[in-house]
Amino acid sequence: MIFRTGELFAGPGGGAYAAMTSQLVDEQGEKWGFTHAWANEYDPDTVETYKLNILNDPNATSVYCKDVRKFDLHDRAILGDIDALIFGFPCNDYSLVGEKKGLDGDFGPLYKFGVEALREFQPSVFIAENVGGLSSANEGEAFIQIVRELQATGYTLTPNFYKFEQYGVPQARHRIIIVGIRNDLAENGVEFRVPAPTTPEIEQYVTSSQAILNPPIPEDAFNHELTRHNPRTVTMLSYIPEGGNAWVENIPNEFRLNVKGARLSNIYKRLNRNAPSYTVTGSGGGGTHMYHWTDNRALTNRERARLQTFPDHYHFQGGKESVRKQIGMAIPPEGIRHIMMAILRTFAGIEYESVEPTIKLQPAILLKEKGEVVANLVRN
């Protein structure tokens, strides 16, 4: 079976690239995989990136460049039926960095369009993705509300807190991903299980230097332009050791930043070449571009794309800052691919190694487990 797949908040195609590269053949010779049906994304540059790399067609009409609030999810004559839905609803208001408005922000309520799409299309399976801070937004009530609304559309849910460095991604990127199986299928034995980590131990993690250096990136590679730093920034970086940030003790006073309360931040933070990188983000502003472990410079967009596990032939469209934002906001294909392959194996009836989910759908209270907030929810 090939799952016709729709996407909301599609970004530059991290989920779509994982989908198109997730395939298997079962013992009866049946092929399993995903195929693009339609996608929606509001940013024009990001839409062009998706069209070029996922569909190899800059004129593709199945990718809609619209604010999701103006996207007609009920136009079945155009959109047709889908078997799978992917939606990485905007994380801005749930991130642990920022104002943390949760459901009260401009972006927080947008998950409802994923709920609306599930009601309209009733696909066999869906994948919803957001930041780990979702579990604590609005004192945990946001996550509880979102899960209940997803369940109410007729799905059995398996939420899990994934640490992508444990799935071959050279980056400490932690995300809550909810996989939903339509209830009639779940009642007939289709049970999704959390795939076991492929690189569970620290010594198995793919490091930032392995990702960036192996193989070397050609100097003329696409999206590989260097940042033109001012001399003061270059000098300041020269005092920051590998893994350090702008608040290390040996920076002379004249080069220190006049910012309070940020000593543990990633501002002007260098990578540690022997560990996965810290989280690649799409945020702007000085000092947030990620910095090489020894060279006195920010990473190029191609280096950042490698940390996000996009292949070098994936050409992001738009200006340098637009590309940086696209890369930072994307789902890393290598991380989400393991989940998509587990979905295929689930439907094909193929066994795979799994682990217990870290988020349990039980009484509605908040617990702290190993320093992380985990919401235990009521199953409707």
Side-chain angles (χ1 to χ4, degrees), residues 170-173 175 277-283 288 290 299 303-308 324 327-330:
Q171 177 191 169
R173 194 177 190 90
R175 293 293 185 267
S277 77
Y278 51 94
T279 305
V280 179
T281 69
S283 60
T288 62
M290 308 189 76
L299 298 185
E303 290 169 332
R304 289 160 49 85
R306 281 205 175 180
L307 296 176
Q308 280 279 61
R324 188 172 70 84
I327 293 170
M329 297 297 285

Side-chain angles (χ1 to χ4, degrees), residues 269-304:
K269 184 172 182 179
R270 288 190 185 274
L271 300 181
N272 177 347
R273 80 185 82 184
N274 296 316
S277 77
Y278 51 94
T279 305
V280 179
T281 69
S283 60
T288 62
H289 294 194
M290 308 189 76
Y291 295 84
H292 194 274
W293 52 89
T294 52
D295 295 351
N296 296 323
R297 63 171 179 86
L299 298 185
T300 69
N301 279 327
R302 180 50 53 195
E303 290 169 332
R304 289 160 49 85

